[in-house]
Amino acid sequence: MSFAPLPLALAELLLRPAFRTRRAPDRAFERLLAAAGPAEGDEQFTDDLRHLLRCWSGAEHLTAVGWLSARGHVGRHLANRARVRRLLAEHPGIEREPVDRPVFVVGLPRTATTLTHSVLSLSADHRCPLLWELLTPDLEPGPERRTKAVAAARRLVGGINLLAPDFRHIHHLRPEGPEECTFALPHTVMPLSQAVIPQYLPWHESRDFTPDYRYLKQIYQVLQYGRPRRRWILKSPLHLENLDALRAVFPDATIVWTHRDPATAVASFCSLVEHGMAVNTRPLDLDRIGATWLELLARSAARGLAARARIPGEALVDVPYTWLGTDPGTGAPKLYAAVGARWTEADAARLPAAVARPRGARVHSYDLARYGLTRADVDAAFAGYNELRAEVDRP
């Protein structure tokens, strides 16, 4: 029998009354929509999020904390969308903001995408979105609004660290640090890392994500408006399965694709999912986590490989894990040169801090067998990708 840690058990007790709203997801959605603000003319966006909340409400073994997370996720995206639409109406110049030559770091999860993003963020010529900005995208805030937005991000991170204390040793969230586009995109596979939502997957698989990337561009235009223009450095492993949609909206983007042995990446990511999902879903089915994410990550790699054939060679940079994972002093300048950026002495001086393990972080250990998987399973699922990785790793 698995017992919840004390903070989670107390949270479950306190949230039990609100958990009853799970039985009426449409009513819960209408309250979130009313709190977010006007949505006239944006019915498709709201209907899609309504569908997500309906699916999430039917998740298997969902906890009260999990239902709070679902409503928080949907409510935040509704509120952000309403704010962005209002800002576009008030400041038409926002949509004329150029997002020139952005860099998108992609790859399977746990392949050093975060490390690569952090290293590219060192340059004064570059601009990375910060977690608090992604959670509450807005124009340049005054001191009071900034303090409020940062405090909200700190509460989110603090809640995760309290309820899932080992999660920070796997993926370290910093409220005022660079973070990934996943927090801004309204629809990704990340809800499936929190709950068992089989109804959501077929809808997600058939979705055209181009409108989501148009909205993502608007978010970065909002964050750029009225501020110094610098080259955007963006990141998410989840872009890998949507490269065609990404490039339709950002046609001059440079794609930085990180690579690592899929057997290692899958095991590590399943461990991350286990620690995050344990707050939202109890009991956990570890074999199901393994089967689900082997399929989803293999699908992502296959879609990435298909899109790769349509990306001009000069717009694609392959980064073996060894570049930064083994020898960052050599790999970082090589990475900068590959994306057409300057590597300076100031960047080199900041590199050790960027690649260092966060203070107090423990070594992350993981094992495929814990999730009912073998190396043979992974090698079979990623056969096509492993051919590419062999070419990339070749000296």
Side-chain angles (χ1 to χ4, degrees):
M1 181 179 292
S2 174
F3 294 95
L6 183 58
L8 180 57
L10 290 174
E12 284 291 301
L13 184 63
L14 293 171
L15 293 171
R16 184 58 54 180
F19 193 38
R20 299 189 187 101
T21 63
R22 178 190 182 190
R23 301 169 187 163
D26 283 353
R27 193 179 308 160
F29 181 85
E30 290 300 331
R31 285 197 286 267
L32 295 172
L33 187 58
E40 291 81 4
D42 207 19
E43 286 77 13
Q44 188 63 58
F45 185 90
T46 56
D47 285 349
D48 287 350
L49 283 174
R50 186 193 305 273
H51 177 73
L52 172 58
L53 192 65
R54 283 174 181 166
C55 292
W56 216 325
S57 72
E60 301 173 22
H61 307 300
L62 190 69
T63 65
V65 171
W67 181 234
L68 176 69
S69 297
R71 288 181 292 134
H73 176 99
V74 170
R76 176 170 60 83
H77 283 294
L78 289 171
N80 286 345
R81 176 73 164 203
R83 185 186 316 104
V84 168
R85 280 166 51 86
R86 174 177 56 78
L87 291 172
L88 294 177
E90 293 173 354
H91 305 278
I94 290 175
E95 288 198 276
R96 294 193 292 273
E97 281 290 323
V99 180
D100 291 331
R101 300 171 51 249
V103 173
F104 282 87
V105 179
V106 309
L108 292 171
R110 317 304 296 167
T111 58
T113 55
T114 298
L115 179 58
T116 303
H117 190 225
S118 296
V119 169
L120 286 170
S121 75
L122 293 173
S123 174
D125 298 329
H126 294 164
R127 168 81 155 94
C128 292
L130 309 179
L131 177 57
W132 70 269
E133 294 178 311
L134 291 167
L135 293 174
T136 317
D138 205 341
L139 301 183
E140 182 74 61
E144 185 176 338
R145 279 172 49 217
R146 179 191 171 100
T147 298
K148 184 177 179 180
V150 172
R154 286 176 176 162
R155 285 195 298 273
L156 175 68
V157 173
I160 293 171
N161 291 341
L162 176 66
L163 299 177
D166 290 332
F167 188 86
R168 64 177 176 268
H169 301 302
I170 306 173
H171 182 73
H172 184 62
L173 291 167
R174 292 181 295 146
E176 297 178 80
E179 256 305 333
E180 59 186 53
C181 307
T182 307
F183 287 96
L185 285 167
H187 294 281
T188 70
V189 293
M190 287 316 291
L192 302 175
S193 72
Q194 300 179 52
V196 180
I197 319 175
Q199 310 96 306
Y200 181 60
L201 188 53
W203 179 88
H204 184 276
E205 286 179 333
S206 61
R207 179 177 171 78
D208 176 9
F209 284 88
T210 307
D212 285 7
Y213 280 90
R214 292 197 192 103
Y215 173 52
L216 184 68
K217 181 178 180 180
Q218 290 174 338
I219 287 176
Y220 292 130
Q221 288 173 315
V222 165
L223 292 177
Q224 181 174 282
Y225 186 70
R227 309 176 202 185
R229 292 176 183 169
R230 291 177 287 163
R231 190 180 187 186
W232 282 100
I233 306 297
L234 308 169
K235 169 250 180 178
S236 174
L238 306 185
H239 292 318
L240 187 60
E241 67 176 6
N242 294 318
L243 290 179
D244 284 334
L246 185 158
R247 296 193 66 254
V249 177
F250 301 95
D252 61 347
T254 295
I255 306 299
V256 173
W257 189 334
T258 59
H259 299 277
R260 192 183 190 186
D261 178 4
T264 302
V266 170
S268 179
F269 189 69
C270 284
S271 175
L272 182 147
V273 170
E274 176 189 351
H275 285 85
M277 185 180 274
V279 175
N280 302 286
T281 304
R282 299 186 74 86
L284 289 178
D285 183 339
L286 298 184
D287 284 358
R288 189 167 190 171
I289 288 175
T292 296
W293 285 99
L294 177 63
E295 178 183 350
L296 290 177
L297 296 179
R299 185 194 73 178
S300 177
R303 288 188 175 185
L305 287 172
R308 179 187 178 93
R310 296 181 283 274
I311 300 176
E314 64 273 13
L316 183 64
V317 176
D318 288 307
V319 179
Y321 189 79
T322 52
W323 275 23
L324 299 177
T326 303
D327 186 9
T330 301
K334 192 186 304 184
L335 172 63
Y336 269 61
V339 301
R342 298 183 307 130
W343 178 253
T344 67
E345 291 184 3
D347 300 330
R350 290 193 293 269
L351 179 63
V355 301
R357 185 183 298 276
R359 182 181 301 174
R362 296 197 299 267
V363 174
H364 179 207
S365 59
Y366 41 84
D367 181 11
L368 278 173
R370 179 171 175 80
Y371 307 101
L373 300 174
T374 66
R375 170 170 279 280
D377 295 329
V378 179
D379 286 346
F382 288 90
Y385 171 72
N386 277 329
E387 291 180 9
L388 168 64
R389 191 174 63 87
E391 294 179 16
V392 170
D393 287 345
R394 189 175 297 127

